[in-house]
Amino acid sequence: QLNLSNGTEAYTNWKDIPVPLYMRFYVFNVTNPYDVILNASKPVVREIGPYTFREKRSKEILSWDTENGTVQYREIKTYIFDREKSFGTQDEMVYVINAPMVGIATMAMQKLSGLVRPIFMPILSSLLESYNEQLFVNRTVRQILFEGYEVPLLKDLTNLAKPFFDIPTILPNNTFGVFYGKNNSDDGIYSVYTGSQGVENFALVETWKNKSSLSFWHSKYCNMINGTDGSMFPPFLDKSDTLYIFTTDLCRSLYLWFEQETKVLGIDAYRFTGPDKLFADPHVDLDNKCFCADPNNCLKAGVIELTSCQNGAPVVASGPHFYQGALEYQSAIDGIKPIKKKHETFLDVEPLTGLVLNASKRLQLNIYVRQTPGIIGLQNIHDTIFPLIWLCESAEIDESSANLFKNQVQIPMNLGTSIMLAAIVLGSMWTIVALAITAYYCKQARNPRFIVCQSQERLSTASSTLEEQEAPGSPVSGHIK
């Protein structure tokens, strides 16, 4: 059944995920925006949420390659707001970092030469001021997440910047929202192995967007596409195995290590989590250096700069509240409190089948704010990785799915094991009895009294036979005599 082909349980559950899947968003509301702008005060944030959405995934099959043992598809994701599981409505107003403004200033600093910068930056600052663009914006949660809000400045800025540099299309329709345009959409065409040519490759990603490797990073190693999409894994997992997951959110492959044994609705599972090494400081762990946007100026532990795969936008990913991150990122902003149980990413996997029984992917999106001379609001601020939101994408099998697994896998295996053990025990008992009987007769055979008795018995039997044969009228009596 561990084969992605029509009619198998694996294919059915893979194509349309049957378990409840939720996406929860937490927004970092800045409580002292004007003190930060005017007095360069330390930012204070308050986490608001969760804002919960029911997530539905459905795979649209594009083609099958039976010779290669792969299937090509795109996965459509739909998000539906769940008011009952949310902190409040999406109409609550919050102050958040002005990501478009910071992105524009950062791009200008990076692309302008030293000669042009003194000319362009005052013009940019004046333009930002005329549009009343400040370091923080006051928007609804709805606008920050899916609905988005228009940034009129971008149209004029594009025309202004043309003589100096090209501005790539960062925001579709000049509209910013963390998940703007992502509802009822997919993130590219995948090709994965079906397992028909060996379960060791089951569900592993072969290509993404028709490419077998990425082009965002600085080495072949960092650009490798490894693992599955995280929903299932090849069977027969061992505690020493490393689970690889390819995630387009981070434009790279991640890995998780075994942490502990656990149970999910009565089913034994292995818990795998992301180790500290995954986002270790590139200055300490050189394996991570090729993930630096600028290898000569790497960020510290716990974060990864996504500039190269976000069209130059200063987006930085991390664990929620900078979990497993450098202390300087955690202490730069008041209101940041990393907690392992609440903020770590984990997978609970059934080791025999490789099925994921319980999972939580937790990720924080930040904006890298750099001090920018000549730009009001950015000229006095300290370089800071500023949190915008963090999200938790989670799924856990329900009772019906757990019972189905137990009936189809666990109970038959336990029954088979019980029958096998019973057969072994029963066979062992008969063997012991047979050996005991054999040993008894062997022992008796070596006993002198037993030998005398056996001899007397044989002599007595022979004498009786002779007497019968010598009796009168016997046809052989004369011969015997």
Side-chain angles (χ1 to χ4, degrees), residues 37-179:
I37 296 171
L38 300 175
N39 305 317
S41 299
K42 186 177 182 180
V44 179
V45 298
R46 182 169 66 91
E47 176 190 295
I48 299 178
Y51 298 94
T52 305
F53 291 78
R54 177 69 185 267
E55 181 179 345
K56 294 184 178 180
R57 295 186 179 190
S58 180
K59 294 180 175 66
E60 177 188 334
I61 305 302
L62 301 178
S63 65
W64 297 88
D65 186 342
T66 54
E67 184 178 345
N68 195 35
T70 58
V71 56
Q72 192 176 67
Y73 68 94
R74 66 173 78 245
E75 185 172 56
I76 310 299
K77 297 180 182 179
T78 304
Y79 302 92
I80 303 168
F81 184 64
D82 190 329
R83 176 66 181 84
E84 293 183 359
K85 295 182 181 295
S86 298
F87 166 78
T89 69
Q90 297 184 75
D91 296 318
E92 184 168 356
M93 300 292 293
V94 292
Y95 276 99
V96 295
I97 189 73
N98 189 343
M101 172 192 170
V102 175
I104 291 167
T106 301
M107 194 170 297
M109 287 291 292
Q110 292 175 343
K111 291 185 175 293
L112 292 175
S113 65
L115 296 175
V116 177
R117 194 177 299 160
I119 302 173
F120 183 82
M121 296 306 280
I123 300 174
L124 174 59
S125 180
S126 177
L127 190 61
L128 290 169
E129 192 173 359
S130 67
Y131 278 95
N132 197 29
E133 292 287 349
Q134 299 185 21
L135 184 58
F136 301 102
V137 293
N138 192 218
R139 296 287 187 268
T140 65
V141 172
R142 186 189 309 276
Q143 290 175 312
I144 293 168
L145 297 180
F146 286 95
E147 186 177 276
Y149 60 90
E150 189 179 6
V151 185
L153 164 68
L154 280 177
K155 185 177 180 180
D156 289 345
L157 180 63
T158 302
N159 295 328
L160 173 67
K162 277 182 180 178
F164 303 99
F165 63 92
D166 291 329
I167 297 181
T169 305
I170 301 175
L171 302 179
N173 302 320
N174 293 333
T175 301
F176 174 77
V178 178
F179 268 58

Side-chain angles (χ1 to χ4, degrees), residues 210-228:
N210 297 315
K211 295 181 180 179
S212 58
S213 63
L214 307 173
S215 58
F216 304 124
W217 310 109
H218 301 291
S219 78
K220 183 179 179 181
Y221 164 73
C222 286
N223 280 317
M224 294 175 66
I225 296 178
N226 294 322
T228 72

